[in-house]
Amino acid sequence: MPREASITYEQVAAIADAIKAAGGKPNPRQIRERHGSGSLGTIHKLFQQWESGQSRQIEAALALPPALQRAILEFMDQELTAARAELESKLSDAQQAANDLAAENERQAGQIEALETTVEDLQGEKATLAGRVAQLETDLATARDEAGRERQAAEAARTELAKAQLRLEAMPILEKENERLQGALDAERTARTDAERQAAAAEAKAAGLADRLADAQEHQKQTAAELAKSNSDRQRLAGELSEIQKEARAASSQAGQLQGTVSTLQRQVEEQAAIIKTVKPAPAAKAEKPAKTTGKAAPAAK
């Protein structure tokens, strides 16, 4: 878009008329100095327009009545000489103005070239800044995502910390419960050992009674006289054997129940120990505490 001129024809004409009225010879340089702004090329074009208007005024003056023309013929001869000198002066001023215009054009061409270089540099910087802005926006989005993940991790960490604190507060209760369960386990182990002993004794007694029954049957074959007595003894032994077998079955049932209870208690103790280990490592002395309180070794599993 062309730039608007900072000087008009009316301003150039007014300054030139003022210089001419003061007895001077106006030229573009003087007009620019008096106006204070404007390009020499624009001022020169407007000044030529003003000069052409001055020439038309002279032609109009020559179209005077014949009486007046005769009166000024002699004066014209004198004025022609003065006009020739003035034209030569104007030609010199025009040449000086042309030289000034050439210098001004060269200066403006240099300025235009410098401005074009500056514009190219600014466009390159703009593209670089646009790339940096895009990268910064990407980094900002990444940082926001990372901050969101860190907030979620922090929330999870706070939740785990709260759970750990609750577990830590419950540790004394868990330790007491562990000690109680360990004591109950030791008691159940002792009871199971006693039941196994009773069952073994019952089985041995049953085996002895079976041997005695076999001997009685053999003795029955040997003597018929003792058959009645043998039958009576056999019935009695059979009754005792039945009672002993009932006791053996009851002892086996009790041993099975005790075995299930011991397994349940062992599983509870292992779960409590696992919960305690997740909160803090148990001291070595405390891990050996159940063995010291019972004073008995655990029976071997059958």
Side-chain angles (χ1 to χ4, degrees), residues 126-186:
K126 179 182 177 182
T128 303
L129 291 174
R132 290 180 180 176
V133 168
Q135 183 63 35
L136 289 174
E137 289 178 351
T138 303
D139 295 340
L140 179 60
T142 304
R144 287 176 177 172
D145 294 338
E146 185 67 22
R149 288 193 294 270
E150 289 180 356
R151 283 196 297 270
Q152 293 177 356
E155 290 295 333
R158 282 195 292 270
T159 303
E160 292 298 329
L161 179 60
K163 292 180 180 179
Q165 288 178 349
L166 292 175
R167 291 177 180 176
L168 185 61
E169 292 175 356
M171 278 187 62
I173 300 174
L174 294 176
E175 290 176 354
K176 291 180 180 179
E177 183 66 17
N178 187 26
E179 292 176 358
R180 186 186 66 79
L181 292 174
Q182 191 66 37
L185 177 62
D186 294 337

Side-chain angles (χ1 to χ4, degrees), residues 96 102 115 142 149 189 244 260 278 290:
Q96 182 65 34
L115 289 174
T142 304
R149 288 193 294 270
R189 286 177 178 175
I244 291 172
T278 57

Side-chain angles (χ1 to χ4, degrees), residues 71-86:
I72 62 174
L73 285 177
E74 295 179 358
F75 179 74
M76 288 297 296
D77 291 335
Q78 298 175 357
E79 290 296 325
L80 286 174
T81 303
R84 186 179 294 108
E86 183 178 359

Side-chain angles (χ1 to χ4, degrees), residues 33 117 127 161 221 275 277 279:
E33 290 176 355
T117 303
L161 179 60
K221 290 180 181 180
I275 292 174
K277 287 181 180 180
V279 178

Side-chain angles (χ1 to χ4, degrees), residues 2-18:
R3 186 174 57 184
E4 185 178 357
S6 60
I7 188 170
T8 61
Y9 171 76
E10 289 76 10
Q11 293 173 341
V12 172
I15 296 172
D17 290 337

